[in-house]
Amino acid sequence: MASELSRTDLLDAHVRRIDRQDKIATGVLTAIVGLVMLLVVAIIAYILVRGAGRALTPGFLTNPYNDDVVAGIVYQLWDSFYLLIVTLVISVPISLGAAIFLVEYAPDNWVTAAAKTAIETLSSLPSIVVGMFGSLFFVVTLGWKISILAGACALTMFNIPILVRTIQQALEDVPRSQRDAALAMGLTRWETTINVLLPAAMPAIVTGIVLSAGRVFGEAAALIFTAGSAPARLNFANPFNFMSPTCPFNIFRPACSLAVYIWRLTSEPTAGSTEIVWGTATVLLVCVLLFNLLARLLGKLLSRRLTAE
């Protein structure tokens, strides 16, 4: 009887000790998360407070940078979205094909392992290194000069590893039973990939693409050496003269994105440039936040449409 009471007391003490440890760990983790959230909110709030007034000034989003009344960022805003679109047009098909090959077709050998290691290595490269390589290869060796195409290819270099890993994980998360059922019905591996795997993985794929777009949109270091830093002079009245340096759609002209424009004004300050910097930073921050919100909304919408959940 005494032995049973002793074991019960030991068990109760063990439970109390585990419960106490769990509460301490929960409190520490909660404090860390709260601190991180506080820092993020503080940074966002500080940028918005400093730049919202300038960003909401009439004409700031629609005037060129050299306007005599209100210097705006319409050219930089256009170049940022245009660079993003060209980058996604190049990187998404390549990433999708590479991910499908690695998941469905690649044999499990040292070549595949080396490819996966290379992808992981590229995803961790500093953007300044990518920019220097892009300057040497795309700008000098290929002769594209400082241009939107060179900048988009440089952005593609570190966007592809992120997209490949995202799409690969999305495809691997599709239950094996769906693959087996499709193959058992007589579908080829390609038909199974197109008609079964991709629709099931599409919500996660689209979410990953939109999130990567947010990172590309805010990139600066890789573009300084490839797309340029001088504000462009665009002619929206004649947008289809594709060889003109003022054509908005000319991929061989220099460009200046919002992030690069912030760096340029900060490194070469002029009268009134501080307000423009904070206003541009506010617009850039809002765009990135909208990308994240759009990723969540598209992911949920596609999940409901494609999985009927």
Side-chain angles (χ1 to χ4, degrees), residues 30-300:
T30 302
I32 293 174
V33 172
L35 178 61
V36 172
M37 291 297 298
L38 181 62
L39 289 175
V40 171
V41 172
I43 292 173
I44 294 175
Y46 183 78
I47 294 175
L48 293 178
V49 169
R50 290 292 303 269
R54 182 70 180 190
L56 295 175
T57 301
F60 184 70
L61 298 179
T62 57
N63 291 348
Y65 67 95
N66 55 356
D67 188 85
D68 295 331
V69 179
V70 178
I73 56 171
V74 62
Y75 296 161
Q76 291 78 15
L77 194 60
W78 169 267
D79 284 346
S80 295
F81 278 104
Y82 193 40
L83 275 165
L84 173 61
I85 292 172
V86 176
T87 301
L88 293 181
V89 167
I90 298 173
S91 60
V92 170
I94 297 175
S95 303
L96 184 61
I100 291 175
F101 176 77
L102 289 174
V103 174
E104 298 298 322
Y105 294 95
D108 189 10
N109 54 28
W110 68 271
V111 177
T112 305
K116 293 180 179 179
T117 302
I119 291 172
E120 295 290 346
T121 303
L122 283 174
S123 64
S124 60
L125 279 179
S127 58
I128 190 70
V129 176
V130 176
M132 292 298 296
F133 174 81
S135 176
L136 292 174
F137 185 69
F138 300 120
V139 176
V140 178
T141 304
L142 296 183
W144 292 347
K145 300 181 180 180
I146 298 294
S147 62
I148 289 176
L149 182 59
C153 289
L155 293 177
T156 297
M157 289 184 59
F158 65 80
N159 196 39
I160 282 180
I162 299 172
L163 286 179
V164 169
R165 290 297 301 151
T166 300
I167 299 174
Q168 185 179 352
Q169 187 63 50
L171 293 174
E172 290 175 349
D173 288 342
V174 178
R176 183 70 189 180
S177 58
Q178 295 189 23
R179 291 179 174 86
D180 296 339
L183 294 173
M185 293 176 63
L187 296 179
T188 64
R189 186 177 294 274
W190 177 250
E191 290 173 333
T192 300
T193 301
I194 297 299
N195 299 309
V196 178
L197 298 184
L198 284 180
M202 191 56 66
I205 292 175
V206 172
T207 300
I209 291 174
V210 176
L211 290 177
S212 70
R215 178 186 176 184
V216 169
F217 192 82
E219 182 56 44
L223 295 176
I224 295 173
F225 301 100
T226 53
S229 60
R233 294 176 179 267
L234 304 180
N235 182 13
F236 291 102
N238 185 20
F240 300 111
N241 185 11
F242 295 108
M243 300 308 297
S244 171
T246 61
C247 175
F249 297 102
N250 183 4
I251 61 175
F252 292 103
R253 66 170 177 83
C256 180
S257 67
L258 291 174
V260 173
Y261 191 52
I262 293 173
W263 168 83
R264 182 181 176 88
L265 290 180
T266 304
S267 59
E268 301 176 4
T270 58
S273 62
T274 302
E275 294 183 359
I276 299 176
V277 166
W278 285 110
T280 306
T282 299
V283 173
L284 181 61
L285 175 64
V286 171
C287 289
V288 173
L289 292 177
L290 288 177
F291 278 124
N292 285 268
L293 179 61
L294 181 61
R296 291 180 176 272
L297 293 177
L298 283 178
K300 291 181 180 179

